[in-house]
Amino acid sequence: MNETTQLNLDGRRFAMVSSTASRVDPDAPTRFDYREEDGVIWGGYEGDTVLHGRFVGVRRQDEIELSYVHLTRDGDSPVAGRSTSRIEPLPDGRLRLVEEFTFDGDDTPQVSVCEELPA
């Protein structure tokens, strides 16, 4: 299996394990469902403070560039931003995503870590 196949995110699910932007609820973390075709990435996410979210972007080798938007459970305005993630293999074969992101209107860089959920 080549590196591109190993890193393909199509059908993979991830859960947030840490974030500098907010506390992560370990019992109900935000979960991300990824789709990928020919390096194009898209999907959705929900959980913790996120009611419903969507993302779209591209993967170039082990880096992902995304734009995202979501609604929070306690807010009435969409939250949007951009991110760059590094894909890292875990010892057990799952993947970890280390994401640097910013919210639109706030240039303060944030970092989150998500790990692939077991199949």
Side-chain angles (χ1 to χ4, degrees), residues 80-81 102-108:
T102 56
F103 297 111
D104 288 352
D106 182 358
D107 291 336
T108 306

Side-chain angles (χ1 to χ4, degrees), residues 64-84:
I64 303 165
E65 292 182 29
L66 297 175
S67 293
Y68 61 87
V69 63
H70 65 257
L71 297 172
T72 61
R73 294 188 186 284
D74 59 359
D76 57 358
S77 297
V79 176
R82 295 185 182 347
S83 69
T84 301

Side-chain angles (χ1 to χ4, degrees), residues 6 11 18 31 44 65 74 77 88 110:
Q6 285 179 302
S18 68
R31 294 177 186 255
E65 292 182 29
D74 59 359
S77 297
E88 299 177 345
Q110 303 290 338

